[in-house]
Amino acid sequence: MVRFLDKTVDIKLYEDKKAITLQYVEQSFTPTENTGVTIYDKYKISIMLSFGMFAVTENIAYKAQIGDIFVFRPDEIHFAKIIDKKVHKFLNIFIPTDFFDGIILNTDEIKEFLEHQKRGNLICPPLELKEKLIRDTEKITEKLKDDTLIFNIDIFSRVLNLLLMISKHYKNTAQTVTEIPRCVKNTLDYLSKNFGNKISLSLLAKENYCSVAYLSKIFKKHTGYTVYEQITNLRIENAKKLLREGKSVTSVTFECGFSDCSHFIKTFKKFTGLTPYQYKKSE
């Protein structure tokens, strides 16, 4: 990776509410790389300011163009797969689940697209909206890159306008789903539901009527991870979620499929740089 910029700013307008977090990223990736499996305790909206990336959640892959928007609920584990060698740019907006409760605004449309229960994770606005969305998003990113004082009310107003703009057209947007082999879809789906259990690669291959070697090769090609790397990713991300909820390290160890606490602690520290106990204290 040659170039990297990650500018993160918290916007807090209400004392009794958690902050909205904005994260602008410019990063050089190489094809086959991915951005890491993640699960958050907030809604996540990603506005794409470049092309050549698709998001994978459960067993679906969504290919994005410039101006498209990804949206994820707190319960959705996902990662982005890189398909083009270039500098990728995107703005992430993280919104607490209860942020709009009690706000004197009609936010029903915003809540509907944040939940996206009836549609997928990718929003593809019509061209005229997409052009305005890109312009407005770039104005926000320019302010985020400026190290001088950022006025929360100005940024918040711009973000709110973006959310209203997206939600207004949410029901009428197109969806672009990237085709991935059925065995990869089936494996992603199985792992997302069974990561806490003992998983056999040979059993997965048998269920998909293919060899272990073929499944391993095709899964790595389309996700950037080996099957076992994906299992570990899912276990660690869910462990972080459970630790944030206050569960004990012992409980999390076995709920997430680790054989013993020692192995869990060692693996967790390797991925996060913290022990589970340190992670709980830091939250």
Side-chain angles (χ1 to χ4, degrees), residues 8-182:
T8 303
V9 174
D10 287 335
I11 302 173
K12 188 173 179 64
L13 293 182
Y14 306 95
E15 287 299 323
D16 59 336
K17 291 185 180 295
K18 295 179 181 178
I20 287 180
T21 300
L22 303 181
Q23 178 192 34
Y24 175 63
V25 176
E26 286 185 17
Q27 187 165 342
S28 297
F29 289 99
T30 57
T32 75
E33 279 190 302
N34 47 55
T35 59
V37 173
T38 49
I39 181 172
Y40 299 96
D41 58 357
K42 299 178 180 180
Y43 294 109
K44 177 187 175 186
I45 301 161
S46 297
I47 302 174
M48 307 308 297
L49 298 173
S50 61
F51 61 87
M53 182 182 292
F54 65 81
V56 180
T57 177
E58 293 186 343
N59 64 352
I60 301 176
Y62 298 96
K63 185 177 181 179
Q65 302 297 328
I66 298 173
D68 287 347
I69 304 112
F70 288 118
V71 55
F72 303 98
R73 292 187 303 272
D75 61 332
E76 290 186 298
I77 296 177
H78 61 280
F79 62 91
K81 176 74 166 53
I82 312 303
I83 55 178
D84 283 325
K85 181 180 180 180
K86 61 194 301 291
V87 176
H88 293 271
K89 304 176 184 180
F90 50 90
L91 175 68
N92 290 330
I93 305 172
F94 299 94
I95 303 175
T97 55
D98 61 350
F99 185 83
F100 292 109
D101 295 348
I103 293 180
I104 309 174
L105 286 171
N106 185 1
T107 57
D108 290 346
E109 287 185 335
I110 293 178
K111 291 178 181 178
E112 183 177 349
F113 96 76
L114 288 175
E115 285 294 326
H116 60 278
Q117 297 286 2
K118 298 179 181 179
R119 294 180 61 84
N121 298 83
L122 180 63
I123 302 173
C124 306
L127 183 59
E128 64 276 10
L129 172 63
K130 184 175 288 191
E131 291 174 347
K132 177 171 174 47
L133 183 72
I134 292 171
R135 288 197 304 271
D136 290 356
T137 302
E138 287 177 340
K139 288 177 182 177
I140 292 174
T141 62
E142 287 304 312
K143 286 182 174 290
L144 292 180
K145 288 188 285 186
D146 187 348
D147 290 328
T148 61
L149 179 65
I150 295 176
F151 296 97
N152 276 356
I153 189 67
D154 176 48
I155 294 289
F156 177 77
S157 176
R158 291 175 184 271
V159 171
L160 183 59
N161 284 333
L162 277 182
L163 297 179
L164 290 169
M165 192 189 314
I166 296 167
S167 62
K168 182 178 179 181
H169 295 268
Y170 169 61
K171 294 178 182 178
N172 301 318
T173 54
Q175 302 267 304
T176 304
V177 178
T178 302
E179 286 300 319
I180 56 177
R182 182 175 294 277

Side-chain angles (χ1 to χ4, degrees), residues 116-275:
H116 60 278
Q117 297 286 2
K118 298 179 181 179
R119 294 180 61 84
N121 298 83
L122 180 63
I123 302 173
C124 306
L127 183 59
E128 64 276 10
L129 172 63
K130 184 175 288 191
E131 291 174 347
K132 177 171 174 47
L133 183 72
I134 292 171
R135 288 197 304 271
D136 290 356
T137 302
E138 287 177 340
K139 288 177 182 177
I140 292 174
T141 62
E142 287 304 312
K143 286 182 174 290
L144 292 180
K145 288 188 285 186
D146 187 348
D147 290 328
T148 61
L149 179 65
I150 295 176
F151 296 97
N152 276 356
I153 189 67
D154 176 48
I155 294 289
F156 177 77
S157 176
R158 291 175 184 271
V159 171
L160 183 59
N161 284 333
L162 277 182
L163 297 179
L164 290 169
M165 192 189 314
I166 296 167
S167 62
K168 182 178 179 181
H169 295 268
Y170 169 61
K171 294 178 182 178
N172 301 318
T173 54
Q175 302 267 304
T176 304
V177 178
T178 302
E179 286 300 319
I180 56 177
R182 182 175 294 277
C183 64
V184 177
K185 290 183 180 181
N186 291 343
T187 302
L188 284 167
D189 187 53
Y190 183 88
L191 297 182
S192 70
K193 295 173 181 175
N194 296 280
F195 62 85
N197 302 323
K198 186 175 181 179
I199 297 174
S200 164
L201 189 54
S202 59
L203 178 61
L204 284 172
K206 183 178 179 181
E207 290 293 320
N208 285 287
Y209 304 99
C210 64
S211 67
V212 169
Y214 176 80
L215 179 60
S216 300
K217 180 179 178 180
I218 203 75
F219 190 90
K220 173 79 172 180
K221 176 182 177 181
H222 286 273
T223 69
Y225 291 114
T226 67
V227 174
Y228 285 121
E229 285 173 341
Q230 178 69 354
I231 294 169
T232 305
N233 288 332
L234 291 170
R235 287 174 174 171
I236 292 297
E237 287 303 313
N238 277 277
K240 287 157 69 175
K241 179 175 180 288
L242 294 175
L243 289 169
R244 289 196 298 265
E245 292 172 357
K247 291 201 173 185
S248 70
V249 173
T250 301
S251 175
V252 172
T253 295
F254 298 108
E255 279 192 55
C256 291
F258 291 94
S259 56
D260 57 69
C261 286
S262 176
H263 179 219
F264 169 52
I265 293 169
K266 182 179 179 180
T267 306
F268 191 91
K269 187 171 183 179
K270 178 182 177 181
F271 273 71
T272 67
L274 300 170
T275 67

